[in-house]
């Protein structure tokens, strides 16, 4: 989980059992249990997965109760662990992506998660097939119309508090709220109700990387037992529910699920992360009508004041026919102001977008044609899913990131401006069933 999340929570003295010894099944027994789990999944008609912090430790996110977990270290008076990369750049684990494949194949019916890291949504699990019981650090919600906003930055608060942003629905315009629960907050009905329904219908509930200590969430998997369902627990530590489980596996979650996918003969596709930005080009005639004063801004799609956490700086240059001074934009807001004669021939602005720590490549290049005398009112809106599929395919085939594509273009008459939303591939991660590889190549 996020270290920032732990620091934002209200203080509580008793956080349950922490620092318990990790157990590992001997290799032969582990293989036998993986075989047994594979058979159970093959026969399952309604598989539900219940996840905890243990599925994200291989993503560089510390857990809570492990030997080096946040609560464990705090209780011992030790320094908290350091995350291996920024929280907002964490990529799904092999387990996250295996669950996506099982859902696409129609085997996995529903995912219930206690995690607030947003990785199930980033991996590709449909929102309607996911209950995030404790919230999502990257999600804001409008309590009036129910619209959710999935951000590329960590929301600043926890405890269902108002944030600095408002609902974009014109009928609402209310302040949004974070979705992450504090200790005393009740589980939201919109997450709990579908979770209970699916647990009651499940013939197999697979608990992955959870200590099953936090109530009432930890009691959900047991609901399947009434209808003859089976509970499987994969965790490195003992849990209070082990005695009621049909199968308990002590092993790394990625290794167990990787073994299951291999036996099911199912390939885990690469994870490709796509981030969004918008370029805003605004122009206005000077008072003597000889020049165009223009501004180019690179901004977040989420909010005018929001930072772009995946961008470190932007280098601006111009096509060869322009003798204009190049610039380096290294502070938010990324904004460039220039003056050009009104009769200037069309030219290109070339942006070299330098990515921040945690991205899989160094940069991406964007070319923006500037035409001052052409009064266009054209708009464009491409199918987002189709654009994403093409970008992902191109990135995987080229084994590199940095590709970008226009999603939509909006032109305004007054003030004269063009707003273009662009999608950029910023990370690729491969999974071959046994190892995880992150390519760090420059496009």
């Amino acid at each position: 989980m996020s270290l920032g999340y732990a620091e934002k929570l209200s203080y509580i003295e008793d956080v349950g059992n922490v620092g318990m010894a990790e157990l590992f099944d001997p290799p032969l027994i582990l293989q036998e249990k993986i075989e047994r789990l594979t058979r159970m999944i093959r026969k399952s008609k309604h598989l539900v997965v219940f996840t905890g912090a243990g599925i994200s430790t291989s993503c560089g996110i510390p857990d809570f109760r492990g030997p080096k977990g946040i609560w464990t270290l705090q209780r011992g008076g030790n320094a908290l662990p350091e995350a291996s990369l920024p929280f907002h750049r964490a990529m799904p684990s092999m387990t996250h992506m295996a669950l996506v494949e099982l859902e696409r194949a129609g085997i996995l019916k529903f995912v219930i998660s206690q995690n607030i890291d947003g990785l199930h949504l980033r991996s590709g699990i449909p929102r309607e097939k996911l209950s995030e019981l404790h919230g999502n650090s990257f999600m804001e919600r409008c309590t009036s119309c129910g619209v959710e906003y999935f951000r590329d930055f960590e929301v600043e608060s926890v405890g269902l508090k108002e944030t600095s942003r408002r609902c974009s629905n014109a009928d609402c315009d209310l302040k949004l709220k974070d979705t992450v629960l504090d200790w005393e907050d009740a589980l939201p009905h919109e997450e709990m109700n579908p979770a209970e329904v699916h647990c009651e219908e499940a013939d197999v509930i697979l608990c992955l990387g959870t200590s099953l200590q936090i109530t009432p969430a930890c009691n959900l998997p047991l609901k399947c037992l009434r209808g003859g369902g089976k509970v499987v627990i994969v965790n490195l530590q003992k849990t209070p529910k082990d005695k009621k489980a049909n199968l308990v596996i002590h092993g790394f979650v990625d290794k167990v699920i990787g073994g299951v996918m291999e036996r099911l003969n199912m390939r885990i596709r690469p994870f490709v992360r796509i981030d969004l930005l918008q370029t805003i080009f605004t122009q206005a005639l000077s008072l003597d009508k000889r020049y165009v004063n223009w501004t180019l801004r690179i901004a977040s799609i989420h909010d005018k004041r929001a930072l772009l956490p995946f961008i470190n700086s932007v280098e601006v240059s111009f096509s060869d026919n322009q003798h204009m001074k190049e610039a380096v934009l290294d502070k938010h807001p990324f904004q460039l102001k220039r003056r050009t004669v009104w009769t200037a021939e069309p030219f290109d602005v070339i942006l070299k977008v330098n990515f921040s720590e945690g991205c899989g490549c160094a940069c991406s290049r964007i070319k923006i044609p500037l035409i001052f005398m052409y009064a266009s009112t054209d708009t464009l809106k491409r199918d987002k899913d189709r654009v994403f599929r093409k970008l992902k395919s191109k990135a995987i085939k080229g084994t590199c990131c940095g590709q970008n594509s226009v999603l939509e273009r909006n032109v305004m008459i007054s003030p004269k401006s063009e707003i273009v939303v662009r999608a950029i591939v910023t990370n690729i991660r491969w999974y071959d069933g046994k190892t995880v590889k992150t390519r760090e190549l420059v496009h």
Side-chain angles (χ1 to χ4, degrees), residues 296-329:
L296 180 63
R297 185 155 59 95
I298 298 92
S300 169
I301 66 162
H302 299 286
D303 183 75
K304 291 181 180 179
R305 294 168 294 176
L307 302 180
L308 282 161
F310 64 96
I311 297 180
N312 185 50
S313 64
V314 180
E315 297 177 36
V316 185
S317 58
F318 304 90
S319 50
D320 294 338
N321 63 334
Q322 291 295 311
H323 302 288
M324 300 184 71
K325 185 178 179 181
E326 297 181 352
V328 177
L329 312 178

Side-chain angles (χ1 to χ4, degrees), residues 169-341:
N169 186 338
D171 295 331
C172 289
D173 194 37
L174 296 179
K175 276 199 170 184
L176 302 174
K177 290 187 176 183
D178 74 73
T179 63
V180 178
L181 306 187
D182 206 341
W183 286 109
E184 300 302 322
D185 293 319
L187 295 183
H189 295 298
E190 58 267 26
E191 306 295 333
M192 193 65 170
N193 290 346
E196 288 181 329
V197 169
H198 281 278
C199 284
E200 291 169 356
E201 294 180 2
D203 52 13
V204 176
I205 295 185
L206 177 56
C207 302
L208 301 175
T210 170
S211 63
L212 293 169
Q213 289 193 53
I214 300 297
T215 58
C218 66
N219 295 318
L220 282 171
L222 303 184
K223 290 183 177 292
C224 77
L225 298 176
R226 301 172 189 169
K230 297 178 180 179
V231 174
V232 179
I233 298 173
V234 182
N235 200 51
L236 288 179
Q237 298 168 313
K238 291 182 179 179
T239 83
K241 310 300 182 185
D242 286 358
K243 292 182 178 179
K244 295 186 178 182
N246 300 85
L247 176 63
V248 177
I249 304 176
H250 294 299
F252 290 111
V253 176
D254 282 351
K255 185 172 183 179
V256 172
I257 298 304
V260 168
M261 296 297 284
E262 188 175 353
R263 285 161 177 78
L264 291 173
N265 197 28
M266 294 181 67
R267 181 177 66 91
I268 303 175
R269 279 171 276 195
F271 168 72
V272 179
R273 174 156 177 171
I274 297 177
D275 285 286
L276 304 179
L277 60 76
Q278 57 182 344
T279 55
I280 304 169
F281 172 60
T282 305
Q283 56 175 303
L285 274 176
S286 61
L287 292 176
D288 58 10
K289 297 185 179 182
R290 293 175 57 195
Y291 300 95
V292 178
N293 298 316
W294 56 272
T295 301
L296 180 63
R297 185 155 59 95
I298 298 92
S300 169
I301 66 162
H302 299 286
D303 183 75
K304 291 181 180 179
R305 294 168 294 176
L307 302 180
L308 282 161
F310 64 96
I311 297 180
N312 185 50
S313 64
V314 180
E315 297 177 36
V316 185
S317 58
F318 304 90
S319 50
D320 294 338
N321 63 334
Q322 291 295 311
H323 302 288
M324 300 184 71
K325 185 178 179 181
E326 297 181 352
V328 177
L329 312 178
D330 56 5
K331 292 181 181 179
H332 289 271
F334 298 122
Q335 184 169 286
L336 178 74
K337 292 186 177 182
R338 286 287 190 270
R339 167 178 276 202
T340 305
V341 293

Side-chain angles (χ1 to χ4, degrees), residues 62-81:
D63 63 16
F64 287 106
R65 304 174 192 279
K68 296 182 180 179
I70 294 173
W71 304 145
T72 305
L73 294 173
Q74 280 186 343
R75 180 169 289 183
N78 300 308
L80 293 181

